[in-house]
Amino acid sequence: MSYFIYNNIKSSDLGVRIISKNIYSAPKYDVSLTSIPGRNGDLINPNGRYANVSLSYTCYVPAKSIDELSKKITAIKNWLYNEPDSYHVLEDSYDTLFQRNAVFNNKLDISDEARKIGTFTVTFSCEPFRYLKSSLVEESHDSTFTLSNPYSFIAKPYLKIYGNGDGRLIISNSKGTTVWNFTSIDSYIECDSELMNFYKGTELKNSSVSGDGFPELIVGDSTISFEGNITRIDIKARWVSL
């Protein structure tokens, strides 16, 4: 049976059956086109981002009575409208290798057919990129290692850097070498390149790190090494694709 999982709840567990999914939707790259008098064609002014994309499931809920249908519809509404101010993981049986970050922020119109079947469309607003599930599992490395980005988009990893004292993190790839210097590491420091923060638990550690921006993994191979008092790195590569 086809299903989707949103905010840790599986649609089929609530009796929802899927008729179809808008599978191949892709986000629009955010650019502005500027016309210059006397010049053929428009100038492309990239804004460096992709907009959210809508993803829809057409569904129905069978029931043996109007009371049963009413109870199921109430449960569905409580599920979809819970925590509407934040993104949640969305995955489904159509695309088992990837997951998305999504939020349900549309109205839900459920039509009552023959008083025993409720039909409706669930539309999510999704962040533009899909995450390869296998790249969301932490890998542990105690020496130099190489990761290969299989997709056409820069990945922004999560790293947990273990050690005590000072150390250096080095990432080398076809674009060059980038270095981050760490001071006074106390057991570990975390880095989330998506959130653009260095921290330990709830304590910010940006002042303990110097370097150019945050670690990124470009298309192709990136070699990651460390020096000084850094002893180990745990990493989630977070490979992404549209």
Side-chain angles (χ1 to χ4, degrees):
M1 178 185 294
S2 299
Y3 63 85
F4 62 90
I5 301 173
Y6 175 68
N7 201 5
N8 297 314
I9 295 178
K10 192 173 182 180
S11 59
S12 56
D13 289 344
L14 296 180
V16 176
R17 300 184 184 180
I18 300 174
I19 301 171
S20 63
K21 173 192 173 184
N22 181 2
I23 301 174
Y24 299 110
S25 54
K28 178 184 177 182
Y29 187 61
D30 189 4
V31 297
S32 301
L33 299 177
T34 303
S35 299
I36 305 296
R39 174 172 175 162
N40 294 321
D42 293 338
L43 292 179
I44 299 175
N45 302 305
N47 295 316
R49 64 182 295 275
Y50 288 92
N52 269 21
V53 60
S54 293
L55 192 156
S56 299
Y57 301 89
T58 302
C59 310
Y60 72 95
V61 181
K64 295 180 179 179
S65 67
I66 190 62
D67 288 338
E68 181 184 351
L69 181 59
S70 178
K71 289 178 181 178
K72 286 185 175 181
I73 290 173
T74 298
I76 291 167
K77 290 178 179 178
N78 276 277
W79 164 42
L80 294 175
Y81 285 102
N82 187 32
E83 299 179 325
D85 298 327
S86 58
Y87 286 100
H88 305 285
V89 172
L90 174 66
E91 52 188 311
D92 64 32
S93 56
Y94 298 89
D95 189 12
T96 58
L97 296 180
F98 290 85
Q99 67 183 48
R100 297 179 179 269
N101 292 326
V103 62
F104 179 76
N105 66 344
N106 288 277
K107 66 177 182 177
L108 186 66
D109 293 325
I110 302 179
S111 62
D112 178 3
E113 296 183 4
R115 300 179 67 83
K116 291 184 180 180
I117 298 177
T119 60
F120 56 97
T121 298
V122 180
T123 301
F124 294 98
S125 179
C126 303
E127 290 182 349
F129 289 110
R130 299 177 298 147
Y131 291 85
L132 184 67
K133 290 181 184 179
S134 60
S135 71
L136 302 178
V137 178
E138 279 188 1
E139 297 181 1
S140 184
H141 300 273
D142 56 12
S143 61
T144 299
F145 60 100
T146 298
L147 297 176
S148 183
N149 185 347
Y151 300 109
S152 302
F153 304 95
I154 293 173
K156 298 182 178 182
Y158 163 86
L159 302 96
K160 193 170 186 179
I161 300 140
Y162 290 88
N164 286 283
D166 301 343
R168 297 205 311 163
L169 170 68
I170 304 139
I171 297 182
S172 300
N173 51 46
S174 60
K175 288 190 175 181
T177 298
T178 310
V179 178
W180 291 267
N181 294 291
F182 295 80
T183 58
S184 304
I185 300 173
D186 180 15
S187 298
Y188 68 88
I189 287 181
E190 296 170 87
C191 170
D192 192 320
S193 294
E194 284 190 346
L195 298 178
M196 295 189 291
N197 266 324
F198 292 95
Y199 57 95
K200 181 182 179 184
T202 58
E203 181 183 1
L204 288 178
K205 290 288 185 178
N206 293 318
S207 60
S208 300
V209 185
S210 62
D212 185 13
F214 295 86
E216 294 183 337
L217 304 174
I218 66 169
V219 180
D221 292 344
S222 293
T223 298
I224 302 172
S225 59
F226 44 92
E227 301 173 348
N229 293 308
I230 295 175
T231 58
R232 190 180 100 215
I233 290 179
D234 292 349
I235 185 169
K236 296 178 185 178
R238 290 173 171 163
W239 306 133
V240 293
S241 182
L242 294 177

